[in-house]
Amino acid sequence: MFPLESSPPLAVPARRWRGRALCLIALVHTGFAFGEFPEVWQALFADGLLDSVGRDPLRGVVAWFFLFGVLLWLLGMAVDLLERQVPGWRSPALGGALLLLLGLGVGLMPASGFWLVLPVALSLFR
């Protein structure tokens, strides 16, 4: 009786998840650095942090573990900002860089959290 009107499909807003996922991975990574090595952190703080790593390889590993988490957090915040300001944003170059980092990390440490970055890296290509 009444003709059905066809309307254009509603646009589905892009979900902001990549940057948030990187931030979450960074939090887990940094939390693991503190939770797994409390005695090293106590020693670093007891030595006043400044120049407290010295030549101790374990202290160096813990410091880099923490610093990598901070850098990943910053990257996550930048990606989230781009996702918010540019709907549908993607970056094959960033996806490729993350895949290279993932490949190196997994090659050196297969049983690691590097795998968590895979969905983010792949989604940057689409």
Side-chain angles (χ1 to χ4, degrees):
M1 202 158 159
F2 296 103
L4 296 175
E5 293 181 22
S6 66
S7 58
L10 296 174
V12 177
R15 293 189 177 196
R16 291 173 30 212
W17 68 272
R18 295 177 196 112
R20 294 173 179 183
L22 290 174
C23 285
L24 180 62
I25 294 167
L27 284 174
V28 169
H29 190 271
T30 305
F32 188 82
F34 283 106
E36 190 67 21
F37 304 103
E39 66 288 342
V40 176
W41 284 107
Q42 289 169 354
L44 289 169
F45 280 103
D47 289 347
L49 281 183
L50 258 176
D51 197 26
S52 60
V53 171
R55 294 183 179 268
D56 185 328
L58 184 56
R59 286 185 178 198
V61 165
V62 170
W64 276 106
F65 205 98
F66 172 76
L67 292 171
F68 188 83
V70 171
L71 288 174
L72 190 58
W73 173 267
L74 293 171
L75 177 63
M77 289 192 323
V79 168
D80 186 57
L81 178 68
L82 284 165
E83 285 181 312
R84 185 172 3 136
Q85 291 184 347
V86 183
W89 174 84
R90 67 184 193 281
S91 172
L94 179 58
L98 285 175
L99 282 176
L100 285 174
L101 181 65
L102 170 73
L104 180 61
V106 166
L108 293 170
M109 299 175 284
S112 70
F114 278 102
W115 292 104
L116 297 173
V117 177
L118 184 61
V120 175
L122 292 176
S123 74
L124 288 167
F125 286 103
R126 289 190 276 138

